[in-house]
Amino acid sequence: MANLQVSLGKIQFSNPILTASGTFGTGEEFSPFLDLNHLGGIVTKAVTREPRAGNPHPRIAETSAGMLNSIGLANVGVDRFIAEKLPFLKGLKCRVIVNVAGKTIDEFAEVIRRIESAGGMDGYEINVSCPNVKEGGMAFGTNPDVTAEITKKARQVTDKFLTVKLTPNVTSITEIAIAAENNGADALTVINTLVGMAVDIRSRKPKLATITGGLSGPAIKPVALAKVFQVAGAVKIPVIASGGIMNVKDVIEFLITGASAVQIGTANFVNPKISEKLVDDLDSYCEEHQINSIEEIIGTLKLND
Amino acid sequence: MRANTDTTIRLATGKILAAFSVTEDIKKIRISHRQTAECALPGQFINIKTSDSLFPLLRRPFSINRTNPAQGWFEILFRVVGAGTNALAQLKIDSDIDFVGPLGNSFSLPDKSQNSVLVAGGLGIAPLEFLAQKLTEEKLSAHLFWGNQSSEAFSYQKQFSRLNLKTFFATDDGSLGFRGNVVTLLERELAALKDENICIYACGPNPMLRALQNFAAAKNLTCQVSLETMMACGFGACMGCNVEKADGSGYFYVCQDGPVFDIKEIRIYG
């Protein structure tokens, strides 16, 4: 057994395999398929202050090697989350990070504060990158000042691990990354989905009710790698990679490029056991390649002089 | 509707025992998987990974069409329409098939005093045939109203010989049975039956379901409908398969709250 433990500043994960928000519910949905405690951690579906019904149908469409979604942060709201989901999550031995979203700058801190009052979780992921909501979401994460403000306010209500999930739909992702780092983020999640679109040529209608949605899956992996490379080179805090990871080779690519951990997203829909399998595959990979500790390979990308 | 209280949902590998062509583009596949054959209920579905490639990437949901618990197999019936169903149609006998299931809730069976009326549009026959199998096993009879665009698909009706069904057929072009849509045929026949104590079960395209919704409301008939929609996971994680609640208070999710709904509780577009 190789040592798969990774340290991301103030928090350790038993291995670098996490699940991406919005693709794993609150973990319970996947209990029939795998042992959640074998994962490094799970990141919950976004939680907002008020319940949200989400966007109209159709919300998803398949594209080449990927999918578009426009769920619109459908969730039961923080109070029901605390009452109905938190007890299950507290019983888990793996790390649990709660993804938090909001329509206003203050809402993020308010959601975290309420969860902290209920005992809190291991950490929070600030979602300033959802492309599918009219208010907040990506509109916040494309603005460094707003990202800074939201991160600062979240920092004021918790000492726990805080990662800010960045959108790739910007001119300069490093500018946003630095704004989050300077205002108390412990890590950065790179990347949320890319704005995309698909058209049904028979009806001549967009395939999503919201016209555009967020593209995920293996189609976006090269974009995610490039963004991880850029962000890891611009900040001192750890980077958690997300974007199209399907197999252990993809995991290794992101770790070499500078990510300290990874999130598995769309692949969970294709194979509900994939996250646990990747933990095993990563262990086998380390044994085969005589890697004693997975941290040895993080950020070891070889560049020409 | 019976909620899925089952803990037997699993990621499974079955084997293709047989494949049949009903028409050029309608296929039936027999899959060996004993646990699914034994525990699946009418209305439930499985979510199949139709190929190992990255396109199609997502699984495709299919209603369970028939089971044979004694022999440990079940069948699905589908039309080849896109990349997923094309890949599925190419699979050879004896090849493995990767699926998640059985998923979703199931049809509630009628009271012994009620007469079951099954209304299918096109491949909407798939889950209703499984329901008819269960009704037959329960020594109950049913009326089946089945509409298709043309007579071609009706070669499939020989499958009904083992079922306790009285059949009524409709075609858009009048090439077989009633000329017109199946809901119009249903209205005409039910008027002749003069039977108010019926329970309707339906599956088909949205315009048919919409017409049926209006008819059921006007006659105050109970109607359970099985919905088909795009979905990614099939078990409540992706939240892609929403359907609007009739009261406007938000959404149901087809994979978890359905696929079988009381027709009064949902909004049907199209």
Side-chain angles (χ1 to χ4, degrees):
Chain A
M1 282 283 287
N3 178 6
L4 297 183
Q5 185 173 306
V6 289
S7 288
L8 277 75
K10 63 180 66 159
I11 194 172
Q12 282 76 46
F13 295 89
S14 62
N15 64 68
I17 308 295
L18 282 60
T19 59
S21 177
T23 66
F24 211 68
T26 46
E28 218 168 345
E29 294 86 343
F30 284 79
S31 321
F33 304 110
L34 53 83
D35 184 348
L36 297 167
N37 291 324
H38 286 174
L39 304 178
I42 67 175
V43 185
T44 68
K45 172 83 181 143
V47 179
T48 54
R49 193 174 54 195
E50 319 299 338
R52 287 181 61 96
N55 289 333
H57 182 85
R59 291 178 176 181
I60 57 171
E62 184 161 338
T63 58
S64 299
M67 66 178 284
L68 290 163
N69 89 78
S70 172
I71 309 304
L73 302 180
N75 80 99
V76 296
V78 66
D79 293 336
R80 274 185 64 192
F81 174 82
I82 289 167
E84 296 167 17
K85 312 289 185 187
L86 217 55
F88 173 82
L89 293 170
K90 280 182 182 294
L92 295 176
K93 291 189 202 78
C94 69
R95 295 291 189 189
V96 179
I97 310 291
V98 181
N99 184 285
V100 173
K103 283 191 287 195
T104 65
I105 288 173
D106 293 328
E107 203 180 315
F108 294 81
E110 174 60 17
V111 172
I112 295 172
R113 195 191 59 74
R114 287 199 208 174
I115 298 171
E116 284 290 279
S117 310
M121 293 307 308
D122 295 312
Y124 301 92
E125 183 175 74
I126 310 266
N127 182 352
V128 285
S129 42
C130 175
N132 300 320
V133 288
K134 286 199 191 97
E135 301 161 287
M138 200 176 84
F140 288 158
T142 51
N143 182 323
D145 296 335
V146 178
T147 302
E149 183 79 7
I150 290 169
T151 310
K152 188 192 278 178
K153 291 196 165 176
R155 184 78 286 168
Q156 284 164 2
V157 295
T158 182
D159 295 327
K160 301 263 179 66
F161 178 76
L162 265 190
T163 179
V164 178
K165 189 168 185 178
L166 305 181
T167 172
N169 304 297
V170 288
T171 309
S172 170
I173 195 169
T174 53
E175 191 187 355
I176 316 283
I178 291 164
E181 180 183 37
N182 288 344
N183 287 278
D186 297 306
L188 299 167
T189 306
V190 180
I191 52 177
N192 206 318
T193 55
L194 290 116
V195 173
M197 181 170 164
V199 174
D200 181 333
I201 59 169
R202 272 180 295 188
S203 63
R204 300 195 184 183
K205 287 180 180 170
K207 287 190 179 177
L208 297 178
T210 50
I211 304 173
T212 60
L215 180 64
S216 66
I220 73 163
K221 197 190 86 180
V223 178
L225 268 173
K227 298 298 172 193
V228 166
F229 176 70
Q230 289 167 2
V231 172
V235 298
K236 293 182 192 69
I237 52 176
V239 171
I240 304 170
S242 171
I245 295 171
M246 299 297 288
N247 54 48
V248 72
K249 181 187 146 292
D250 295 340
V251 175
I252 300 289
E253 264 188 85
F254 276 104
L255 296 178
I256 289 172
T257 304
S260 299
V262 299
Q263 293 180 356
I264 313 306
T266 301
N268 293 313
F269 301 149
V270 179
N271 175 0
K273 287 184 197 275
I274 188 69
S275 53
E276 187 177 38
K277 180 178 185 298
L278 288 177
V279 177
D280 295 338
D281 289 355
L282 195 59
D283 189 42
S284 306
Y285 179 91
C286 288
E287 286 202 2
E288 276 167 38
H289 295 80
Q290 282 108 44
I291 296 164
N292 295 318
S293 164
I294 194 69
E295 289 193 324
E296 288 168 27
I297 68 164
I298 294 171
T300 56
L301 188 69
K302 292 179 182 169
L303 300 171
N304 294 329
D305 298 327
Chain B
M1 278 59 46
R2 246 169 90 169
N4 186 356
T5 51
D6 199 342
T7 53
T8 54
I9 156 178
R10 59 175 65 79
L11 177 61
T13 305
K15 202 173 263 305
I16 297 186
L17 290 181
F20 317 89
S21 289
V22 177
T23 66
E24 203 175 325
D25 62 349
I26 299 175
K27 312 282 177 187
K28 192 185 229 305
I29 288 179
R30 182 173 296 175
I31 300 165
S32 95
H33 194 269
R34 183 162 296 279
Q35 284 163 308
T36 305
E38 285 172 356
C39 71
L41 297 168
Q44 288 193 300
F45 65 99
I46 59 168
N47 209 7
I48 300 180
K49 182 78 182 105
T50 60
S51 87
D52 292 330
S53 71
L54 294 181
F55 186 78
L57 178 69
L58 300 176
R59 291 171 182 272
R60 297 290 190 270
F62 297 91
S63 290
I64 294 168
N65 169 243
R66 182 185 174 188
T67 63
N68 188 324
Q71 293 177 20
W73 53 256
F74 65 95
E75 291 176 341
I76 57 167
L77 181 70
F78 61 98
R79 187 188 301 276
V80 179
V81 287
T85 44
N86 237 307
L88 194 56
Q90 303 302 320
L91 291 178
K92 300 276 183 278
I93 308 292
D94 280 339
S95 53
D96 284 345
I97 186 160
D98 168 332
F99 68 91
V100 180
L103 296 164
N105 67 355
S106 55
F107 290 111
S108 297
L109 297 186
D111 300 336
K112 299 281 177 191
S113 65
Q114 281 179 312
N115 286 311
S116 299
V117 174
L118 281 45
V119 186
L123 266 285
I125 191 68
L128 296 179
E129 188 183 345
F130 186 16
L131 176 64
Q133 174 193 322
K134 272 284 185 279
L135 294 174
T136 303
E137 285 164 12
E138 300 284 326
K139 309 268 186 274
L140 296 168
S141 63
H143 290 69
L144 169 69
F145 293 82
W146 190 21
N148 274 294
Q149 283 179 340
S150 71
S151 60
E152 207 192 4
F154 288 102
S155 63
Y156 188 74
Q157 65 171 292
K158 57 180 182 286
Q159 299 283 335
F160 303 153
S161 60
R162 62 195 167 76
L163 302 171
N164 201 356
L165 283 177
K166 184 166 197 282
T167 55
F168 301 83
F169 298 143
T171 46
D172 294 350
D173 60 8
S175 57
L176 193 146
F178 177 77
R179 182 195 191 102
N181 81 61
V182 72
V183 179
T184 311
L185 172 64
L186 173 73
E187 288 177 37
R188 204 181 67 175
E189 293 296 328
L190 286 190
L193 270 178
K194 291 195 171 64
D195 188 349
E196 302 288 300
N197 190 18
I198 62 167
C199 186
I200 301 176
Y201 299 91
C203 185
N206 277 1
M208 179 200 110
L209 297 182
R210 189 82 193 273
L212 192 59
Q213 189 174 43
N214 293 335
F215 173 67
K219 298 283 178 194
N220 199 22
L221 298 170
T222 64
C223 178
Q224 298 176 41
V225 56
S226 171
L227 298 184
E228 178 181 48
T229 186
M230 275 284 296
M231 60 180 68
C233 68
F235 49 87
C238 76
M239 306 185 89
C241 59
N242 59 324
V243 54
E244 208 175 337
K245 294 179 180 176
D247 64 7
S249 68
Y251 300 99
F252 289 117
Y253 290 91
V254 171
C255 73
Q256 278 206 311
D257 303 314
V260 181
F261 294 92
D262 180 332
I263 206 164
K264 288 197 293 290
E265 292 185 350
I266 53 167
R267 279 192 190 161
I268 300 167
Y269 295 101

